[in-house]
Amino acid sequence: MTAQGEHATSTTTADVPRRNWAGNVRYAARAFHRPTSVDELRRLVAGSSRIRAVGSGHSFNRFGDTDGDLVTLAGLPPVVDLDRDRGQVTVSGAMRYGDLARHLHTQGYALANLASLPHISVAGAVATATHGSGQTHGNLASAVAGLELVTADGDVLRVDRDADAFAGMVVGLGALGLVTRVTLDVVPTFELRQFVRLDLDREALDEALGSAYSVSVFTDFRSPRLREVWRKQVADQPPPPADWLGTTAADAPRHPVLGMPPENCTPQLGEPGPWHERLPHFKLGFTPSSGDELQSEYHLPRTAAADALAALDDVAHLIAPVLLVSELRTVAADELWLSPNHQRDSFVLHFTWVDDTAAVLPVVAEVEERLAPFAPRPHWGKVFVTDPAELAARYPRYADFAALLRHLDPTGTFRTELLDRYFPR
Ligand SMILES: Cc1cc2nc3c(=O)[nH]c(=O)nc-3n(C[C@H](O)[C@H](O)[C@H](O)COP(=O)(O)OP(=O)(O)OC[C@H]3O[C@@H](n4cnc5c(N)ncnc54)[C@H](O)[C@@H]3O)c2cc1C
Protein backbone atom coordinates (compact mmCIF):
# COMPACT_ATOMS: atom_id res chain seq x y z
CA MET A 1 0.00 0.00 0.00
CA THR A 2 1.32 3.45 -0.80
CA ALA A 3 -0.36 6.30 1.02
CA GLN A 4 0.02 9.62 -0.79
CA GLY A 5 -1.61 12.05 1.61
CA GLU A 6 -2.53 15.71 1.25
CA HIS A 7 0.43 18.04 1.17
CA ALA A 8 1.15 21.68 0.61
CA THR A 9 1.74 22.74 -2.95
CA SER A 10 4.17 25.55 -2.29
CA THR A 11 7.28 25.89 -0.17
CA THR A 12 6.57 27.51 3.16
CA THR A 13 9.19 28.03 5.81
CA ALA A 14 7.04 29.11 8.75
CA ASP A 15 6.90 25.60 10.18
CA VAL A 16 10.59 24.77 9.87
CA PRO A 17 11.82 24.77 13.48
CA ARG A 18 14.21 27.61 14.37
CA ARG A 19 15.50 25.83 17.45
CA ASN A 20 15.65 22.32 18.86
CA TRP A 21 13.01 20.90 21.19
CA ALA A 22 15.06 21.59 24.31
CA GLY A 23 15.83 25.16 23.23
CA ASN A 24 19.59 24.85 23.87
CA VAL A 25 20.34 25.02 20.13
CA ARG A 26 19.10 27.94 18.04
CA TYR A 27 19.75 26.92 14.44
CA ALA A 28 22.23 29.23 12.76
CA ALA A 29 20.94 28.62 9.22
CA ARG A 30 20.75 31.58 6.86
CA ALA A 31 17.65 30.12 5.18
CA PHE A 32 14.92 27.60 6.04
CA HIS A 33 13.14 25.41 3.50
CA ARG A 34 10.17 23.05 3.29
CA PRO A 35 10.15 21.49 -0.18
CA THR A 36 7.03 19.67 -1.29
CA SER A 37 8.55 17.28 -3.81
CA VAL A 38 11.74 15.23 -4.08
CA ASP A 39 12.62 17.10 -7.30
CA GLU A 40 12.37 20.41 -5.44
CA LEU A 41 14.59 18.95 -2.71
CA ARG A 42 17.11 17.75 -5.30
CA ARG A 43 17.31 21.21 -6.88
CA LEU A 44 17.71 22.75 -3.44
CA VAL A 45 20.61 20.44 -2.53
CA ALA A 46 22.31 20.79 -5.91
CA GLY A 47 22.19 24.59 -5.59
CA SER A 48 23.37 24.79 -2.00
CA SER A 49 26.95 24.89 -0.74
CA ARG A 50 25.92 23.88 2.81
CA ILE A 51 22.66 22.20 3.73
CA ARG A 52 21.28 19.96 6.50
CA ALA A 53 17.97 18.30 7.28
CA VAL A 54 16.15 18.70 10.55
CA GLY A 55 13.81 15.96 11.76
CA SER A 56 11.63 16.65 14.78
CA GLY A 57 14.49 18.56 16.46
CA HIS A 58 14.75 16.34 19.53
CA SER A 59 18.56 16.20 19.52
CA PHE A 60 20.54 18.18 22.06
CA ASN A 61 23.74 19.03 20.17
CA ARG A 62 24.88 20.88 17.03
CA PHE A 63 25.67 17.97 14.71
CA GLY A 64 22.67 19.00 12.63
CA ASP A 65 23.14 22.76 12.85
CA THR A 66 24.32 24.55 9.73
CA ASP A 67 25.13 28.12 8.78
CA GLY A 68 23.75 27.35 5.30
CA ASP A 69 20.32 25.98 4.45
CA LEU A 70 18.19 24.01 6.91
CA VAL A 71 15.48 21.88 5.37
CA THR A 72 12.59 19.89 6.78
CA LEU A 73 11.41 16.95 4.69
CA ALA A 74 8.01 16.98 6.39
CA GLY A 75 6.44 18.65 3.33
CA LEU A 76 7.31 15.79 0.96
CA PRO A 77 4.41 13.52 -0.01
CA PRO A 78 4.09 10.98 2.83
CA VAL A 79 4.83 7.35 2.03
CA VAL A 80 3.95 4.21 4.00
CA ASP A 81 4.51 1.17 1.81
CA LEU A 82 4.07 -2.15 3.62
CA ASP A 83 5.59 -5.21 1.94
CA ARG A 84 4.04 -8.19 3.75
CA ASP A 85 6.06 -10.72 1.77
CA ARG A 86 9.40 -9.22 2.79
CA GLY A 87 8.25 -8.21 6.28
CA GLN A 88 9.31 -4.63 5.66
CA VAL A 89 7.80 -1.17 5.50
CA THR A 90 9.15 1.77 3.50
CA VAL A 91 8.33 5.19 4.97
CA SER A 92 9.12 8.85 4.47
CA GLY A 93 12.20 9.86 6.45
CA ALA A 94 10.28 12.66 8.13
CA MET A 95 7.50 10.40 9.42
CA ARG A 96 7.19 10.24 13.19
CA TYR A 97 7.57 6.81 14.77
CA GLY A 98 4.26 7.34 16.60
CA ASP A 99 2.35 7.84 13.35
CA LEU A 100 4.07 4.89 11.69
CA ALA A 101 3.39 2.68 14.70
CA ARG A 102 -0.34 3.40 14.70
CA HIS A 103 -0.54 2.57 11.02
CA LEU A 104 1.47 -0.64 11.33
CA HIS A 105 -0.65 -1.83 14.24
CA THR A 106 -3.86 -1.44 12.22
CA GLN A 107 -2.23 -3.60 9.54
CA GLY A 108 -1.26 -6.32 12.05
CA TYR A 109 2.42 -5.34 12.25
CA ALA A 110 4.88 -3.84 14.70
CA LEU A 111 8.45 -2.62 15.03
CA ALA A 112 10.56 -4.73 17.36
CA ASN A 113 11.38 -1.72 19.53
CA LEU A 114 10.77 1.99 20.03
CA ALA A 115 12.46 4.85 21.90
CA SER A 116 10.98 6.40 25.02
CA LEU A 117 9.12 8.99 22.97
CA PRO A 118 7.08 8.47 19.78
CA HIS A 119 7.43 12.07 18.56
CA ILE A 120 10.78 11.64 16.78
CA SER A 121 11.24 11.30 13.02
CA VAL A 122 12.42 8.00 11.57
CA ALA A 123 15.36 9.53 9.64
CA GLY A 124 16.51 11.70 12.55
CA ALA A 125 16.34 8.84 15.03
CA VAL A 126 18.12 6.40 12.74
CA ALA A 127 20.86 8.95 11.90
CA THR A 128 21.77 9.16 15.60
CA ALA A 129 21.27 5.45 16.48
CA THR A 130 18.36 6.17 18.80
CA HIS A 131 17.38 3.14 20.89
CA GLY A 132 14.90 1.70 23.32
CA SER A 133 15.72 -1.03 25.82
CA GLY A 134 15.94 -4.82 25.75
CA GLN A 135 18.81 -7.26 25.94
CA THR A 136 17.75 -8.98 22.73
CA HIS A 137 16.74 -5.88 20.75
CA GLY A 138 19.05 -3.75 18.66
CA ASN A 139 18.73 0.02 18.41
CA LEU A 140 16.24 1.55 15.95
CA ALA A 141 18.92 1.84 13.24
CA SER A 142 19.50 -1.90 13.35
CA ALA A 143 16.00 -2.41 11.88
CA VAL A 144 16.91 -0.45 8.74
CA ALA A 145 16.89 -2.59 5.60
CA GLY A 146 17.18 0.20 3.04
CA LEU A 147 17.65 3.94 2.54
CA GLU A 148 16.89 6.49 -0.14
CA LEU A 149 19.03 9.61 0.01
CA VAL A 150 19.49 12.81 -1.94
CA THR A 151 23.26 13.08 -2.18
CA ALA A 152 25.43 16.19 -2.36
CA ASP A 153 25.14 16.59 -6.13
CA GLY A 154 21.32 16.33 -5.99
CA ASP A 155 21.15 12.72 -7.19
CA VAL A 156 18.92 10.09 -5.61
CA LEU A 157 20.81 7.12 -4.16
CA ARG A 158 18.98 3.93 -3.10
CA VAL A 159 20.85 1.37 -1.00
CA ASP A 160 19.83 -1.80 0.77
CA ARG A 161 21.50 -4.30 3.07
CA ASP A 162 23.44 -5.90 0.21
CA ALA A 163 25.08 -2.63 -0.79
CA ASP A 164 28.76 -1.95 -0.13
CA ALA A 165 29.20 0.26 2.91
CA PHE A 166 25.51 -0.02 3.84
CA ALA A 167 26.56 -0.67 7.46
CA GLY A 168 28.38 2.65 7.31
CA MET A 169 25.49 4.61 5.85
CA VAL A 170 22.67 3.89 8.28
CA VAL A 171 23.93 5.77 11.33
CA GLY A 172 25.02 8.57 9.03
CA LEU A 173 24.73 11.57 11.40
CA GLY A 174 22.82 13.33 8.61
CA ALA A 175 26.17 13.83 6.89
CA LEU A 176 25.96 11.49 3.89
CA GLY A 177 22.79 12.86 2.30
CA LEU A 178 19.22 13.83 3.02
CA VAL A 179 17.21 10.69 3.75
CA THR A 180 13.89 10.77 1.92
CA ARG A 181 12.81 7.16 2.56
CA VAL A 182 13.72 4.44 5.04
CA THR A 183 12.85 0.73 4.79
CA LEU A 184 12.43 -0.98 8.16
CA ASP A 185 11.98 -4.60 9.23
CA VAL A 186 8.59 -5.29 10.82
CA VAL A 187 7.27 -8.12 13.02
CA PRO A 188 3.71 -9.28 13.77
CA THR A 189 1.93 -6.94 16.16
CA PHE A 190 2.01 -7.88 19.85
CA GLU A 191 0.72 -6.82 23.25
CA LEU A 192 2.69 -5.74 26.29
CA ARG A 193 1.97 -4.96 29.92
CA GLN A 194 3.91 -2.40 31.92
CA PHE A 195 4.63 -2.92 35.62
CA VAL A 196 6.52 -0.40 37.74
CA ARG A 197 8.45 -1.71 40.75
CA LEU A 198 10.11 0.42 43.40
CA ASP A 199 13.45 0.44 45.22
CA LEU A 200 15.78 -2.05 43.53
CA ASP A 201 19.07 -3.14 45.05
CA ARG A 202 21.97 -2.52 42.64
CA GLU A 203 23.06 -6.13 43.04
CA ALA A 204 19.85 -7.15 41.26
CA LEU A 205 20.23 -4.71 38.34
CA ASP A 206 21.43 -7.20 35.76
CA GLU A 207 18.65 -9.66 36.58
CA ALA A 208 16.05 -6.89 36.47
CA LEU A 209 17.27 -5.61 33.09
CA GLY A 210 17.01 -9.12 31.64
CA SER A 211 13.64 -9.94 33.18
CA ALA A 212 11.27 -8.84 30.38
CA TYR A 213 10.91 -7.73 26.75
CA SER A 214 12.06 -4.17 27.53
CA VAL A 215 13.17 -2.88 30.92
CA SER A 216 14.17 0.62 32.04
CA VAL A 217 15.52 1.40 35.49
CA PHE A 218 15.28 4.97 36.81
CA THR A 219 17.48 6.41 39.53
CA ASP A 220 18.63 9.79 40.81
CA PHE A 221 22.13 9.27 42.28
CA ARG A 222 20.83 10.42 45.65
CA SER A 223 21.04 6.87 46.96
CA PRO A 224 22.89 3.76 45.81
CA ARG A 225 19.52 2.04 45.53
CA LEU A 226 17.68 2.28 42.23
CA ARG A 227 14.35 4.09 42.45
CA GLU A 228 12.10 2.45 39.83
CA VAL A 229 12.04 -0.49 37.42
CA TRP A 230 9.71 -0.11 34.40
CA ARG A 231 9.13 -3.65 33.20
CA LYS A 232 7.49 -3.87 29.76
CA GLN A 233 6.66 -7.53 29.39
CA VAL A 234 4.82 -9.57 26.80
CA ALA A 235 1.19 -9.71 27.84
CA ASP A 236 1.13 -13.42 28.69
CA GLN A 237 4.26 -13.34 30.88
CA PRO A 238 3.06 -13.65 34.50
CA PRO A 239 3.26 -10.42 36.55
CA PRO A 240 6.31 -10.11 38.80
CA PRO A 241 5.61 -11.80 42.17
CA ALA A 242 4.94 -9.57 45.18
CA ASP A 243 8.50 -9.90 46.51
CA TRP A 244 10.21 -9.65 43.08
CA LEU A 245 13.93 -8.96 43.61
CA GLY A 246 13.10 -7.32 46.93
CA THR A 247 11.12 -4.51 45.29
CA THR A 248 7.60 -3.30 45.99
CA ALA A 249 4.86 -2.68 43.41
CA ALA A 250 3.93 0.90 42.49
CA ASP A 251 0.25 1.33 43.37
CA ALA A 252 -0.35 4.30 41.05
CA PRO A 253 1.00 5.42 37.63
CA ARG A 254 4.40 7.14 37.70
CA HIS A 255 6.34 9.67 35.61
CA PRO A 256 10.11 9.11 35.39
CA VAL A 257 10.73 12.69 36.59
CA LEU A 258 9.35 13.14 40.09
CA GLY A 259 6.67 15.83 40.22
CA MET A 260 5.75 15.53 36.52
CA PRO A 261 2.23 14.38 35.61
CA PRO A 262 1.89 10.60 35.07
CA GLU A 263 -0.99 11.29 32.64
CA ASN A 264 1.72 12.06 30.03
CA CYS A 265 2.96 8.49 30.35
CA THR A 266 1.81 5.28 28.70
CA PRO A 267 -0.49 3.04 30.82
CA GLN A 268 1.13 1.08 33.65
CA LEU A 269 -0.26 -1.13 36.47
CA GLY A 270 -0.19 -4.19 34.20
CA GLU A 271 -2.94 -3.03 31.82
CA PRO A 272 -2.41 -4.89 28.52
CA GLY A 273 -2.11 -2.83 25.36
CA PRO A 274 -0.49 -2.71 21.92
CA TRP A 275 3.32 -2.52 21.67
CA HIS A 276 3.35 1.13 20.54
CA GLU A 277 1.31 2.24 23.57
CA ARG A 278 3.64 0.52 26.04
CA LEU A 279 7.21 0.61 24.66
CA PRO A 280 7.49 4.45 24.69
CA HIS A 281 7.29 5.94 28.18
CA PHE A 282 5.44 8.98 26.83
CA LYS A 283 2.15 9.31 24.96
CA LEU A 284 2.19 10.79 21.47
CA GLY A 285 -0.35 13.52 22.25
CA PHE A 286 1.53 14.84 25.30
CA THR A 287 4.80 16.70 25.89
CA PRO A 288 7.42 14.05 26.54
CA SER A 289 9.66 14.14 29.57
CA SER A 290 10.12 17.40 31.48
CA GLY A 291 10.43 19.66 28.41
CA ASP A 292 12.97 21.81 30.22
CA GLU A 293 16.08 19.70 30.15
CA LEU A 294 19.32 18.53 28.56
CA GLN A 295 20.32 14.92 28.04
CA SER A 296 23.52 12.85 27.86
CA GLU A 297 23.86 9.12 27.41
CA TYR A 298 26.70 6.59 27.31
CA HIS A 299 26.80 3.08 25.86
CA LEU A 300 29.13 0.73 27.78
CA PRO A 301 29.82 -3.00 27.54
CA ARG A 302 26.90 -4.76 29.20
CA THR A 303 29.25 -6.59 31.54
CA ALA A 304 30.51 -3.24 32.89
CA ALA A 305 27.18 -2.14 34.40
CA ALA A 306 28.00 -2.67 38.09
CA ASP A 307 31.57 -1.31 37.81
CA ALA A 308 30.42 1.74 35.86
CA LEU A 309 27.83 2.64 38.49
CA ALA A 310 30.42 2.12 41.24
CA ALA A 311 32.83 4.40 39.36
CA LEU A 312 30.24 7.17 39.47
CA ASP A 313 29.70 6.89 43.24
CA ASP A 314 32.60 9.31 43.84
CA VAL A 315 30.88 12.00 41.77
CA ALA A 316 27.27 11.28 42.77
CA HIS A 317 27.34 14.48 44.88
CA LEU A 318 28.11 16.44 41.69
CA ILE A 319 25.59 14.60 39.54
CA ALA A 320 22.55 14.75 41.85
CA PRO A 321 22.14 18.56 42.06
CA VAL A 322 21.93 18.96 38.25
CA LEU A 323 20.04 15.75 37.52
CA LEU A 324 16.31 15.34 36.90
CA VAL A 325 16.54 11.58 36.43
CA SER A 326 18.87 8.88 35.19
CA GLU A 327 17.73 5.89 33.12
CA LEU A 328 19.54 2.55 32.76
CA ARG A 329 18.81 0.38 29.71
CA THR A 330 20.27 -2.38 27.55
CA VAL A 331 20.72 -2.67 23.77
CA ALA A 332 21.87 -5.68 21.73
CA ALA A 333 24.99 -5.52 19.57
CA ASP A 334 24.88 -4.74 15.84
CA GLU A 335 27.31 -4.26 12.94
CA LEU A 336 26.60 -0.63 11.99
CA TRP A 337 29.87 1.31 11.86
CA LEU A 338 28.87 4.31 13.97
CA SER A 339 26.33 2.55 16.15
CA PRO A 340 27.28 2.92 19.82
CA ASN A 341 26.27 -0.75 20.01
CA HIS A 342 28.74 -1.76 17.30
CA GLN A 343 29.79 -5.34 18.09
CA ARG A 344 28.99 -4.75 21.74
CA ASP A 345 25.97 -5.82 23.82
CA SER A 346 25.43 -2.63 25.77
CA PHE A 347 24.49 -1.24 29.12
CA VAL A 348 23.27 2.29 28.56
CA LEU A 349 23.53 5.01 31.15
CA HIS A 350 21.34 8.04 30.51
CA PHE A 351 21.14 11.40 32.29
CA THR A 352 18.30 13.90 32.02
CA TRP A 353 19.91 17.10 33.28
CA VAL A 354 18.44 20.41 34.36
CA ASP A 355 18.25 23.00 31.60
CA ASP A 356 21.46 24.83 32.53
CA THR A 357 24.31 24.21 30.10
CA ALA A 358 26.92 26.05 32.17
CA ALA A 359 26.17 23.96 35.27
CA VAL A 360 25.80 20.68 33.40
CA LEU A 361 28.91 20.65 31.15
CA PRO A 362 31.49 20.34 33.98
CA VAL A 363 29.50 17.43 35.42
CA VAL A 364 29.32 15.79 31.99
CA ALA A 365 33.14 16.04 31.86
CA GLU A 366 33.43 14.43 35.32
CA VAL A 367 31.08 11.62 34.32
CA GLU A 368 33.05 10.98 31.12
CA GLU A 369 36.33 10.88 33.04
CA ARG A 370 34.95 8.29 35.49
CA LEU A 371 33.48 6.19 32.70
CA ALA A 372 36.57 6.40 30.45
CA PRO A 373 38.00 3.02 31.56
CA PHE A 374 34.86 1.39 30.09
CA ALA A 375 35.30 3.06 26.67
CA PRO A 376 31.89 4.78 26.70
CA ARG A 377 30.34 5.63 23.35
CA PRO A 378 28.11 8.71 23.71
CA HIS A 379 24.67 9.00 22.11
CA TRP A 380 25.17 10.93 18.85
CA GLY A 381 22.12 13.11 19.49
CA LYS A 382 22.90 14.21 23.03
CA VAL A 383 25.36 16.37 24.99
CA PHE A 384 28.93 15.05 25.26
CA VAL A 385 32.43 16.50 25.49
CA THR A 386 34.55 13.48 24.52
CA ASP A 387 37.88 14.21 22.88
CA PRO A 388 37.59 13.36 19.14
CA ALA A 389 40.71 11.14 19.11
CA GLU A 390 39.43 9.19 22.12
CA LEU A 391 36.04 8.76 20.52
CA ALA A 392 37.63 7.55 17.29
CA ALA A 393 39.56 4.91 19.23
CA ARG A 394 36.28 3.50 20.59
CA TYR A 395 34.89 2.73 17.12
CA PRO A 396 36.73 0.09 15.02
CA ARG A 397 35.17 1.51 11.81
CA TYR A 398 35.56 5.25 12.60
CA ALA A 399 38.20 5.79 9.90
CA ASP A 400 36.07 3.91 7.40
CA PHE A 401 33.17 6.24 8.13
CA ALA A 402 35.44 9.27 7.69
CA ALA A 403 36.48 7.88 4.28
CA LEU A 404 32.83 7.30 3.35
CA LEU A 405 32.08 10.92 4.25
CA ARG A 406 34.83 12.14 1.95
CA HIS A 407 33.66 9.85 -0.81
CA LEU A 408 29.94 10.73 -0.69
CA ASP A 409 30.36 14.41 0.16
CA PRO A 410 33.70 15.54 -1.29
CA THR A 411 32.83 19.24 -1.21
CA GLY A 412 31.43 19.28 2.34
CA THR A 413 27.83 20.12 1.48
CA PHE A 414 26.51 18.37 4.61
CA ARG A 415 29.41 19.36 6.86
CA THR A 416 28.76 21.24 10.09
CA GLU A 417 31.17 22.72 12.61
CA LEU A 418 30.69 19.88 15.09
CA LEU A 419 30.98 17.24 12.39
CA ASP A 420 34.29 18.79 11.28
CA ARG A 421 35.55 18.59 14.85
CA TYR A 422 34.83 14.88 15.13
CA PHE A 423 35.60 13.94 11.51
CA PRO A 424 38.27 16.38 10.29
CA ARG A 425 38.45 16.66 6.51
C1 LIG B 1 12.29 13.79 25.57
C2 LIG B 1 13.28 13.05 24.78
C3 LIG B 1 13.38 11.69 24.93
C4 LIG B 1 14.33 10.96 24.20
N1 LIG B 1 14.37 9.61 24.36
C5 LIG B 1 15.29 8.90 23.68
C6 LIG B 1 15.35 7.49 23.82
O1 LIG B 1 14.52 6.86 24.47
N2 LIG B 1 16.35 6.82 23.19
C7 LIG B 1 17.27 7.47 22.43
O2 LIG B 1 18.17 6.82 21.91
N3 LIG B 1 17.20 8.81 22.22
C8 LIG B 1 16.24 9.52 22.83
N4 LIG B 1 16.15 10.87 22.62
C9 LIG B 1 17.04 11.49 21.63
C10 LIG B 1 16.41 11.51 20.25
O3 LIG B 1 15.76 10.32 19.95
C11 LIG B 1 17.47 11.69 19.16
O4 LIG B 1 18.16 12.86 19.41
C12 LIG B 1 16.90 11.69 17.73
O5 LIG B 1 17.92 12.03 16.82
C13 LIG B 1 15.79 12.66 17.55
O6 LIG B 1 15.22 12.51 16.26
P1 LIG B 1 14.76 13.83 15.49
O7 LIG B 1 13.85 13.45 14.41
O8 LIG B 1 14.28 14.83 16.47
O9 LIG B 1 16.16 14.28 14.90
P2 LIG B 1 16.79 15.74 14.81
O10 LIG B 1 17.22 16.14 16.18
O11 LIG B 1 15.91 16.66 14.09
O12 LIG B 1 18.07 15.41 13.91
C14 LIG B 1 19.06 14.53 14.37
C15 LIG B 1 20.15 14.41 13.30
O13 LIG B 1 19.60 13.71 12.19
C16 LIG B 1 19.75 14.51 11.03
N5 LIG B 1 18.55 14.30 10.22
C17 LIG B 1 17.27 14.51 10.56
N6 LIG B 1 16.46 14.19 9.55
C18 LIG B 1 17.25 13.79 8.53
C19 LIG B 1 17.00 13.37 7.20
N7 LIG B 1 15.78 13.26 6.69
N8 LIG B 1 18.06 13.05 6.43
C20 LIG B 1 19.33 13.16 6.89
N9 LIG B 1 19.60 13.56 8.15
C21 LIG B 1 18.58 13.86 8.95
C22 LIG B 1 19.91 15.94 11.50
O14 LIG B 1 20.63 16.72 10.57
C23 LIG B 1 20.67 15.73 12.79
O15 LIG B 1 22.05 15.61 12.56
C24 LIG B 1 15.21 11.64 23.31
C25 LIG B 1 15.09 13.01 23.13
C26 LIG B 1 14.14 13.72 23.85
C27 LIG B 1 14.02 15.18 23.63
Side-chain angles (χ1 to χ4, degrees):
M1 182 207 70
T2 300
Q4 303 274 337
E6 296 268 314
H7 60 98
T9 51
S10 65
T11 300
T12 60
T13 59
D15 44 7
V16 186
R18 269 28 178 194
R19 63 170 186 82
N20 68 341
W21 175 83
N24 66 315
V25 175
R26 181 159 286 281
Y27 300 127
R30 63 173 171 77
F32 296 83
H33 307 271
R34 194 175 193 275
T36 56
S37 71
V38 173
D39 281 343
E40 189 186 341
L41 178 69
R42 293 177 62 187
R43 284 194 297 275
L44 188 61
V45 175
S48 175
S49 56
R50 270 161 104 79
I51 188 166
R52 287 291 291 211
V54 59
S56 64
H58 283 86
S59 292
F60 294 86
N61 62 39
R62 292 193 175 272
F63 269 107
D65 187 24
T66 178
D67 56 5
D69 297 292
L70 192 68
V71 57
T72 174
L73 276 50
L76 300 185
V79 174
V80 187
D81 192 353
L82 179 62
D83 184 334
R84 293 172 191 269
D85 294 335
R86 299 176 82 100
Q88 293 176 344
V89 66
T90 297
V91 301
S92 325
M95 180 168 283
R96 297 187 304 173
Y97 269 99
D99 297 324
L100 169 61
R102 277 183 184 158
H103 176 78
L104 281 178
H105 179 62
T106 63
Q107 301 298 309
Y109 286 90
L111 300 168
N113 214 349
L114 289 171
S116 71
L117 78 172
H119 309 67
I120 50 178
S121 78
V122 173
V126 163
T128 57
T130 289
H131 61 94
S133 189
Q135 290 186 348
T136 58
H137 312 303
N139 63 41
L140 302 189
S142 70
V144 175
L147 293 172
E148 179 187 276
L149 306 92
V150 173
T151 53
D153 47 12
D155 285 347
V156 173
L157 173 65
R158 292 189 186 88
V159 285
D160 63 24
R161 279 198 180 113
D162 299 330
D164 278 352
F166 181 73
M169 294 181 69
V170 179
V171 181
L173 309 183
L176 303 173
L178 305 189
V179 175
T180 44
R181 293 187 184 192
V182 183
T183 301
L184 299 168
D185 294 331
V186 295
V187 297
T189 193
F190 56 99
E191 289 218 323
L192 293 173
R193 292 196 283 171
Q194 186 163 214
F195 292 93
V196 175
R197 304 288 303 207
L198 307 178
D199 196 25
L200 181 75
D201 192 300
R202 265 198 212 176
E203 294 286 312
L205 175 61
D206 195 48
E207 191 175 344
L209 286 170
S211 68
Y213 190 90
S214 174
V215 178
S216 287
V217 174
F218 292 98
T219 189
D220 53 17
F221 284 87
R222 289 186 170 81
S223 144
R225 294 185 72 79
L226 305 169
R227 201 179 70 207
E228 292 175 20
V229 183
W230 288 36
R231 215 175 99 140
K232 299 163 193 271
Q233 58 180 62
V234 288
D236 57 6
Q237 181 182 356
D243 60 350
W244 183 66
L245 299 180
T247 60
T248 54
D251 57 2
R254 316 276 293 195
H255 189 289
V257 178
L258 291 179
M260 293 292 293
E263 298 77 48
N264 296 10
C265 295
T266 49
Q268 302 160 27
L269 301 172
E271 184 188 333
W275 58 284
H276 62 293
E277 294 177 5
R278 296 296 179 278
L279 285 172
H281 305 326
F282 306 108
K283 289 181 189 155
L284 186 58
F286 288 77
T287 302
S289 203
S290 119
D292 225 357
E293 63 186 54
L294 300 172
Q295 295 186 10
S296 304
E297 191 162 33
Y298 300 94
H299 294 249
L300 311 155
R302 206 167 82 201
T303 48
D307 291 342
L309 285 178
L312 292 180
D313 280 341
D314 286 350
V315 288
H317 65 288
L318 301 176
I319 296 173
V322 290
L323 186 74
L324 293 174
V325 71
S326 177
E327 181 174 4
L328 316 178
R329 291 183 275 188
T330 53
V331 182
D334 61 53
E335 291 296 328
L336 305 175
W337 296 357
L338 280 197
S339 163
N341 314 108
H342 180 78
Q343 297 185 341
R344 204 161 85 172
D345 284 330
S346 306
F347 167 67
V348 194
L349 187 43
H350 162 95
F351 302 88
T352 299
W353 308 110
V354 296
D355 183 19
D356 181 346
T357 303
V360 166
L361 283 183
V363 182
V364 168
E366 286 285 352
V367 166
E368 292 195 5
E369 196 182 320
R370 305 294 157 148
L371 294 180
F374 312 103
R377 295 171 180 164
H379 191 305
W380 289 110
K382 301 189 179 181
V383 174
F384 60 93
V385 296
T386 318
D387 174 74
E390 279 177 34
L391 191 60
R394 294 174 192 165
Y395 281 92
R397 306 299 299 268
Y398 204 91
D400 293 327
F401 183 80
L404 186 62
L405 265 180
R406 286 190 291 273
H407 173 66
L408 279 178
D409 186 17
T411 55
T413 302
F414 303 117
R415 288 268 170 179
T416 65
E417 210 178 305
L418 194 58
L419 193 77
D420 277 343
R421 181 164 137 68
Y422 280 94
F423 297 91
R425 297 184 206 208

